Structure formats: C-alpha cells, structure tokens
Amino acid sequence: MSFKNRNVISMKDFSRKEIDHVLDTAEKLEPVARGEERSRLLDGKIIALLFFEPSTRTRLSFESATQRLGGQVLNLGSVEASSVMKGENLADTIRVISKYADLIVLRHPLDGSARMAAEFAGVPIINGGDGSLHHPTQTFLDLYTIRRESHLEGLKIAMAGDLKYGRTVHSLCHALSLYGAEITLVSPPELRMPQEIIRDLQKNNIRIRENDSLEEIIDDVEVLYMTRVQRERFPDPEEYEKVKNRLKVTGDLLKNADSSLKILHPLPRVNEISPEVDSTPYACYFKQAFYGVPTRMALLALATGVIE
Amino acid sequence: MKEKRDLKIQAIENGTVIDHIKAGQALNVLRILGISSAFRATISFVMNAPGAAGIKDVVKIEGKELSVEELNRIALISPKATINIIRDFEVVQKNKVVLPSYVEGVVRCINPNCISNSSEPIKSKFSVVQSEEDGVTLRCLYCEHVISENIAENLL
Ligand SMILES: [Zn+2]
C-alpha cells in the first residue's frame, strides 16, 4: 500500500484497510506528537498551509504536526489579505504554490475546491475543509480517538446535535459503517440526518435508529459524539431554547451511562456539554483535539512518502 | 400521407439526422451538441412532426458527421432519439443514443456554492447514472450534488 503523492480529499476515497494504515501510523507517531520523542521525518520538506477561510484550530494542528516532524511550514496567513493572490483564481494559486512546497493543505469555502485543486497541483493536496462538503482530517482524528479511547469494531455510538448540516457526522457515519457500527442518531426533527445518507449507510448493513432524547439512549452507547446546534438553524428562537436543553450533556444525564462511555465533540462547544462533565472520565474532547496532531502527522508523512 | 411527410423532412446528401427526439427538445439538442450561430453547417429541424409513435422532433445537420460521443449526450434529454449517418443519400449507420457514463461541460451544477460555478478554468463534470427509481441522474464530480430533474434547464 503506497500513499505517496496521494490526495486526501474525501473519506469515501479510503478503504477500511487504508484507514487502518493511517491510524496505525498515527499511533506510531504519537510519542513524537507528545514531544516525548524527536523526529526528523519531514526534514527538508515544506508544507504550505493555504487557508481561504479562517480555522485557527485546524491550521495550528497542521502546523504543530509539521514542526514535530521537523518540517517547515509555509503559512500563507489569511489569504483574503494577501496581495500575492489578489484576484487570482484558485487554479493558478495552486499551480504556483505547488512550486514552493511539497504538499498543500487547503481550506476553501467552495464545495469541491479540494477536488479541483488536486487537478492543478503537482504535489499532494490535503483537504482542510471545502465548503460544506468534506473535512477528512477531522474524520480521521475522530476515528483515531475512538480507536484509542474505545474500539472501532462493532461500536455502539450515538451522534447528537445538528445531523442535517454537520459534515463531520456524515463522513464519520460512513467511515464507521466500514467497521460495522450500530448508530443512534439523536437530533431535533428539524435537524435530522438526510434520508439519502441514511439509505447509503443501510446499504452497508448498518443498524440505525433515530431518537430525539439523550436520556433514552445514554445507557446503551459506548461513544457519544456531540455536535453543536446553531441558533440560526431555527426560525423560532423558542424552539431553539427547547432543543438546546434537550440535547445537553450534564452530570445528571451521565448517572445512567455505562462507566466506559466516552464523549467526543469536534469543538468548539457552546453549551451542549456542561463544564462539570470536563473532569469526569467520560470527557474525551480535549484529548480528541490533541489526537488531531498524530493523525495529521500520519497523513503528512504518508502523502509525502517519508513513511510507506 | 407519406409524401407529405417527406416534404417536411427532406433528405440530405451527407450528414447526420437525429430522429425521434422527444417533442419540444430539438432546441435543447442543438444546445447539448454545442451548436451555436458560429456553427457553419446547414441545420434544419422540425418540431412536433407526426411519427409512428406520436409527435417528435427531428434535427438534420448537413455535410457534417458528429462524433458518437457528442451525439450520445442527447440521451440525457431524449433517451429514445436515433442517429442516422447519411452518405450519398443513404443511411449508412443508424443507432439509438446510448447514455454516456460521464459528461463534461454540458450541464451546469445546481449547487451555487460549487467550485464549477465559480470563475475557475474548469468545465463541469458529472457522472451519469440511470436507475429504475430515479431515472437519469447526474452527480457532480466536484461537489457531489445530484441533478435528477430539469436536466434540460441546466444545459450550459
Ligand atoms: Zn457541483
């Protein structure tokens, strides 16, 4: 299996075997991500971070991953402000930056931009989020977190919050379906998972149930993946207030949880997880943020070919 | 009766006759083939002509044989159309259109946030799938949006 020069655009481009390989590589690199071991794997390599919309967390995570492996970052900063690319189309920008760097991490507001960039780049593209479509490195890190903190095979997982617009839950569901997960979807009726995605998952023989209350399902899941419900999704502010409290993880809710339950959240959170949960062994979201570093290290190392 | 019909759809010496086009789609056939005012061959078409299986449109392109790949795009909007290649007043080849599995630069993506609708130097690209439930559907290879209706309205 060679990942050299491979683009990371969408989770759907990866088989289960390939995902496992990325996660195995991340695990090997974890001591480096923690700063416990030194690595010069990316010595002499330049990684360009091309962010057309701000996402400080993702950008810093890639920056940390590169530097931990001894690579150099070409950080183009906020691209709107940069005069180099003013008025230039993305295709030309990609062609130029390809000449400056060994790999490009792209974040762009238009759907399909990463796919297009890969057509013009002479170097691998890692999609750091394109429009409302894909954010594969987030899904890789979610999978890595689940594997490290719980288990992937036959996982009983609940996903809660905005399941309609949340791209991370869509591709996470798809990836988990490769591991035979049992998925419970918890959302207000307005924000249900789109039917075509559910149909796709069922094609993989996945057991899916839908619910609108966390209380009813909390005792029967091993991982709870929370996402943020945005106020602006609701035309009626009262409806939002109701939902906001119904989909909230509190100490009270967790009284019925299995002791091995792990709670994940892509962050930032607003009020869907109360601070009292942070100090419990259930809370995994800050670890999850850290796991983004070894996961991105693995993808950088594999795509540049410094690891087979 | 036969004679009258032949007057409407006159024979050509060399070229392509696209027959059995779904009534009302002749203009869209020209669009899908990229035929504009810059096109030099003589084109004639008949709309709503009576045929054995109800009314139909017919397009004739004189002095030019279009490639099969180009012509097969017609299947997106008129799956029963036939293509007749004419040489020296004889039909030398008669084929039904075959739905292509991929089209480029033919249809606009309906997702306004799609990169193919921006000013980038790319053509729209779709994979084409025919299913019993949904009929002909196009899936954008950039943004994955699916067009299952109104293909004709989204021709470029
Ligand atoms: Zn599109």
Side-chain angles (χ1 to χ4, degrees), chain B residues 38-109:
Chain B
F39 198 75
R40 290 278 71 105
T42 302
I43 298 174
S44 48
F45 64 87
V46 181
M47 289 177 81
N48 303 320
I55 56 167
K56 62 176 184 178
D57 289 4
V58 183
V59 170
K60 291 190 290 182
I61 302 160
E62 287 182 47
K64 203 167 170 81
E65 292 177 16
L66 279 81
S67 78
V68 176
E69 292 78 48
E70 273 177 293
L71 291 163
N72 279 340
R73 291 177 193 165
I74 296 165
L76 292 173
I77 52 165
S78 187
K80 295 208 169 79
T82 58
I83 298 159
N84 303 278
I85 304 293
I86 317 284
R87 285 180 203 147
D88 206 9
F89 294 105
E90 296 282 328
V91 177
V92 295
Q93 217 188 87
K94 188 183 179 94
N95 292 111
K96 287 201 163 123
V97 290
V98 180
L99 196 67
S101 58
Y102 168 80
V103 286
E104 194 180 295
V106 176
V107 179
R108 184 193 323 273
C109 181

Side-chain angles (χ1 to χ4, degrees), chain A residues 111, chain B residues 109-111 114-117 125-126 140-145:
Chain A
D111 298 337
Chain B
C109 181
I110 53 172
N111 170 13
C114 177
I115 189 88
S116 71
N117 286 323
K125 296 190 178 90
F126 291 89
C140 175
L141 291 183
Y142 289 107
C143 79
E144 302 173 13
H145 256 66

